Amino acid sequence: MNLESLYQEIILDHYKHPRGRELLAAPLGAAHHVNPTCGDELTVQVAVDSDGRLMIGYEGQGCSISQASASVMSELVTGLAPGQSEVIRQAFLDMMRAKGTGEPDEDVLGDAVAFAGVAKFPARVKCALLAWMALQDAEIQSGLLTQQSKDGDS
Ligand code: ZN
């Protein structure tokens, strides 16, 4: 199996078996993002558990890339300290902007490296980014992330 089809397998697996796909009982912040060009919709919620670790809730509908990306995002950032999610989010943004030319860091990105193949298709990049943009807005709304860090990537 080549890398391209391995990546497709990972995305399809997250699409068919989304990890942690449910809403939180008591979110600290939430954001609803839409990607009108594809018709994707996603609500992402954040909270922290009793140890101060991130909890993620989400639900949505749309293409396999947008929904698989939400599943991967939830799996990657759940249990992190607030703020650590930004490191992964930034690595993901860098990978998508490299249009498939860079070397994604699997230690940081885990299953999210599967979206490196998507980066070559500009029309699908927004699908892959939707979950991460919604996560950032939800974190800002919850007060877990300051607006200042948002200015850095626009
Ligand atoms: Zn889409």
Side-chain angles (χ1 to χ4, degrees):
M1 187 184 279
N2 66 28
L3 197 60
E4 200 88 336
S5 36
L6 176 67
Y7 284 172
Q8 281 170 12
E9 283 287 314
I10 292 173
I11 290 174
L12 215 57
D13 183 55
H14 275 274
Y15 178 58
K16 287 182 180 163
H17 311 285
R19 322 292 201 267
R21 184 186 169 100
E22 57 186 350
L23 293 177
L24 300 173
L28 293 174
H32 180 73
H33 277 217
V34 295
N35 175 21
T37 52
C38 184
D40 309 317
E41 284 189 45
L42 204 59
T43 297
V44 173
Q45 302 173 321
V46 295
V48 287
D49 65 16
S50 52
D51 295 321
R53 304 281 163 177
L54 273 175
M55 296 163 67
I56 300 295
Y58 71 97
E59 65 169 21
Q61 54 188 25
C63 70
S64 56
I65 291 170
S66 67
Q67 303 306 308
S69 185
S71 170
V72 170
M73 179 279 287
S74 146
E75 190 171 63
L76 279 172
V77 305
T78 296
L80 294 182
Q84 281 183 340
S85 58
E86 273 299 283
V87 176
I88 301 176
R89 207 183 64 85
Q90 197 56 55
F92 191 79
L93 279 176
D94 290 345
M95 179 180 77
M96 298 312 286
R97 285 172 181 160
K99 297 185 173 63
T101 59
E103 271 284 311
D105 188 343
E106 199 169 347
D107 289 340
V108 175
L109 288 165
D111 276 358
V113 295
F115 295 89
V118 176
K120 280 177 262 178
F121 306 99
R124 311 313 301 277
V125 166
K126 274 189 180 169
C127 304
L129 288 179
L130 194 67
W132 295 90
M133 297 305 186
L135 168 69
Q136 188 184 39
D137 274 357
E139 282 188 283
I140 288 170
Q141 203 200 68
S142 68
L144 294 171
L145 195 68
T146 58
Q147 189 76 41
Q148 199 182 0
S149 18
K150 179 168 177 142
D151 294 335
D153 67 34
S154 56

